[in-house]
Amino acid sequence: KSPLGPRKRHCMASRGICGSARRRWRTTQLSLGLAACAACAACSACAESGFAARRWGPVKPARGQFGVERDGTRAEDYERLNRSPLLRRGRKLQLQQLVQGEELRGSVKYRSERGFVIDVGAECTGLLEASEMRDGFPAGATLKLGEEVAVRVLGTEGGLFLTRRSGSLARPPRDTSRRPDSQAVAAFAELANDAAAWLEGEVCKMTFYGVFVKVPQPLDNGALVQGLLHETHFAPGFEDEAIVGGKVSVRVLEADVAGRRLSLTMRQ
């Protein structure tokens, strides 16, 4: 005899759920104290187990049945459940369905070199880059694996990109440049540690340890070279203002020709 009553036994038998799945379902229902009918897919246990999504499609309101209020007070729960990453195996969001600025909730899958990979229940995982972690520079910003986060859709061209920044979603074209060659770095050697040689540059990338700035190469018309501005060399207040595309004044701290690295500073 099932402690969940005849309704639950009827649902399991009519839907032909295997014994293993039945035991898991029963455990979930008992732990949550729920006894809703499986056919309505209205309870959180149905959604979280994924059975409802895999077998019967999206969760739909069934007003007046199995604990759903007739006045529709629980209607908002259905959209949340349908968007939940817990239903990803049954119903995935298509990229073409997402629009820039749309608010989503997801869980952290893992951390990559560029940022955090977030599962928002879409056909592919989304990338929350270091530059989009928060307003300003992401000093000390970190997320735990499995943590639930609120994000906005930044773009879907070339993948799913997410943001936690506030304000406008306008961004400059994504920078794909690599480390400069030795000759380009050598051109800055004479400017190293010259307190009067200030350069105007633009932030092109952001990491968890600093930002990369493109500065004009001396004695070259229009050529830009990428240098690292480490967080220890930020000017006071820059940490709260840093953004990709922002303008900065820097000077050359070190030009490592052999290592093809250009180090910059905002300090005197």
Side-chain angles (χ1 to χ4, degrees), residues 86-101:
L86 296 170
L87 292 177
R88 60 187 180 275
R89 289 175 292 182
R91 177 178 180 250
K92 295 182 178 180
L93 296 172
Q94 304 297 312
L95 286 183
Q96 58 266 29
Q97 293 179 289
L98 301 174
V99 295
Q100 188 180 50

Side-chain angles (χ1 to χ4, degrees), residues 236-251:
F238 178 72
E239 183 176 297
D240 297 326
E241 304 171 355
I243 187 172
V244 173
K247 304 297 183 181
V248 293
S249 294
V250 296
R251 63 185 183 85

